[in-house]
Amino acid sequence: MTDTKFTPRVFSGIKPSGGLTLGNYLGAIKRFVDMQGGQFETIYCVVDLHAITVWQDPKELANATREVAAGYLASGIDPEKSILFNQAQVAEHAELGWIFNCVARVGWMNRMTQFKDKAGSGKDAEKASLGLYAYPSLMAADILLYHATHVPVGEDQKQHVELTRDIAKKFNHDFKVDFFPETTPVIEGPAMRVMNLRDGSKKMSKSGESDMERINMTDDADTISKKFKKAKTDPEPLPETLEGLADRPEARNLVNIYAALNDMTNEQVITEYAGAGWGRFKPALADLAVAKLAPISDDMKRLMNDPAEIDRLLGRGAERAREIAQPILKQTYEIVGLLRS
Ligand code: AQP
């Protein structure tokens, strides 16, 4: 249920931890664009403070930050309609993140599956950064610093948005206020979890080991075709009904991707391709992906040729973000009893 006392406001972000993937596009950016200009005020962020929870080469980080910004802009995020900025330019995120570190419980963090996936277990986990462990509480700060009511995310981030709700509830309860909203995760559509092209049990990630397991938003047409051609599948043709995809993760993933790229439902894709073999479906998918991604990737290249303009837009976005964030942080300090004279 959405809290009606809060302005309908969307916040979401993407880490500049590598090049953008088709997973980021379908699970996040494409939906961010759809939510723009409607009933919500929309705030989109390049979450560079999250990227450094694992090692980032300083020379590449600023460039990766600009590239994610270029991905947003080229996909249709309009810096007049949305607030677009990078997290490091709004220090209030880190300040509220610290307060939430003191609200969240260690037991809650221990249940976060993404930390377990990324840090491994035993001695490996001990070598992970403290930032990686605390990352969900900074994510809660990113969202609640704007009193965001809705957060569009992919399926992998659902647990973190639930934690954000727990942090808001505990803060409100401990300080006997009704200050932070209980944010609603928006997870809908056929591509909320785009899977790795070589292993249908793992999600497609920027930092996955092999480049063949993902489609990058900047891949050229030949590379996209090659990657889909070599994508792992089973030998069976596409089924007549959706139920026929139930135990076929790789086949289901390719159908999901087709549906999401073409704004169709999975049922519509199956109806169109019932009984088709991979020799027919994979080239059709590759052509569709090229048609949708090529204009975006061309525009990203154009934008990346003018880094000063990207920096200017991000700086302007940060100013607008601070106008919302500062009064909310000020009130938070007052509620907590932190003196600022
Ligand atoms: N495979 C995916 N399918 C659907 N949505 C996805 N998202 C990421 N991968 C997929 C969504 O993209 C948004 C931004 O994610 P992020 O970059 O901040 O973090 P992530 O989920 O950890 O992304 P990666 O690609 O896996 O990065 P690395 O490899 O650096 O950890 C989120 O809304 C996410 O759900």
Side-chain angles (χ1 to χ4, degrees):
M1 210 178 70
T2 309
D3 215 326
T4 46
K5 87 173 198 156
F6 296 97
T7 308
R9 188 176 284 152
V10 159
F11 177 94
S12 205
I14 297 183
K15 279 185 294 180
S17 47
L20 291 167
T21 70
L22 185 62
N24 297 131
Y25 178 65
L26 295 176
I29 302 178
K30 184 169 185 291
R31 301 164 57 227
F32 297 175
V33 175
D34 292 342
M35 293 181 102
Q36 189 176 243
Q39 55 162 319
F40 295 106
E41 194 178 336
T42 44
I43 306 177
Y44 298 123
C45 191
V46 186
V47 286
D48 41 12
L49 297 178
H50 287 287
I52 61 164
T53 55
V54 298
W55 171 251
Q56 303 297 332
D57 183 328
K59 285 193 219 80
E60 282 164 26
L61 181 59
N63 214 37
T65 301
R66 293 188 186 108
E67 191 177 311
V68 173
Y72 275 126
L73 293 163
S75 303
I77 296 298
D78 177 344
E80 295 303 320
K81 289 190 189 148
S82 293
I83 296 179
L84 176 64
F85 69 107
N86 63 304
Q87 192 186 20
Q89 299 209 61
V90 182
E92 286 78 2
H93 286 250
E95 290 184 67
L96 187 61
W98 178 256
I99 294 176
F100 286 171
N101 280 347
C102 303
V103 174
R105 305 289 94 183
V106 169
W108 300 358
M109 295 295 167
N110 287 342
R111 285 192 284 279
M112 294 298 114
T113 54
Q114 202 184 67
F115 178 76
K116 290 180 200 157
D117 292 346
K118 291 205 164 155
S121 53
K123 284 258 175 289
D124 284 343
E126 287 186 15
K127 286 187 196 142
S129 74
L130 191 54
L132 185 65
Y133 185 69
Y135 147 77
S137 115
L138 179 59
M139 176 165 158
D142 300 336
I143 296 165
L144 295 174
L145 187 57
Y146 302 94
H147 280 179
T149 54
H150 293 77
V151 183
V153 279
E155 182 68 41
D156 60 320
Q157 292 293 341
K158 184 169 183 228
Q159 197 185 27
H160 293 162
V161 184
E162 279 161 5
L163 183 96
T164 301
R165 293 168 65 92
D166 289 340
I167 290 176
K169 268 190 264 182
K170 183 160 165 52
F171 183 98
N172 289 345
H173 175 268
D174 289 355
F175 294 101
K176 300 186 179 48
V177 289
D178 181 17
F179 185 62
F180 286 116
E182 287 181 32
T183 307
T184 307
V186 185
I187 304 173
E188 53 199 26
M192 289 309 93
R193 197 168 170 80
V194 177
M195 307 310 280
N196 177 325
L197 297 180
R198 310 294 287 183
D199 177 352
S201 69
K202 292 191 190 148
K203 85 162 188 150
M204 184 183 285
S205 270
K206 297 185 205 85
S207 55
E209 270 164 39
S210 156
D211 196 55
M212 290 302 286
E213 68 190 42
R214 62 179 165 265
I215 304 285
N216 302 303
M217 280 178 73
T218 49
D219 280 344
D220 61 27
D222 286 349
T223 310
I224 292 177
S225 296
K226 189 170 84 190
K227 287 180 176 177
F228 276 126
K229 200 167 150 210
K230 292 205 181 269
K232 184 180 163 199
T233 43
D234 53 47
E236 300 300 316
L238 283 170
E240 306 282 330
T241 63
L242 215 47
E243 291 71 49
L245 288 175
D247 300 318
R248 300 174 63 188
E250 283 86 11
R252 195 172 57 235
N253 186 39
L254 297 186
V255 169
N256 284 346
I257 293 174
Y258 192 103
L261 277 171
N262 218 18
D263 294 316
M264 293 167 84
T265 62
N266 289 348
E267 285 89 344
Q268 287 169 321
V269 180
I270 288 298
T271 307
E272 197 174 324
Y273 286 98
W278 296 111
R280 182 174 152 224
F281 187 71
K282 281 182 170 178
L285 175 58
D287 287 349
L288 175 64
V290 169
K292 298 284 176 182
L293 293 182
I296 299 176
S297 132
D298 288 349
D299 210 35
M300 280 175 75
K301 284 186 201 120
R302 182 188 61 79
L303 290 159
M304 287 297 284
N305 279 332
D306 189 357
E309 175 60 7
I310 297 181
D311 293 3
R312 191 191 67 77
L313 289 173
L314 291 175
R316 170 77 191 110
E319 269 171 35
R320 292 171 63 203
R322 271 194 299 271
E323 279 166 24
I324 304 174
Q326 277 172 346
I328 292 177
L329 187 71
K330 182 170 179 285
Q331 288 177 73
T332 310
Y333 271 58
E334 284 162 10
I335 292 168
V336 176
L338 294 166
L339 183 72
R340 292 218 275 198
S341 50

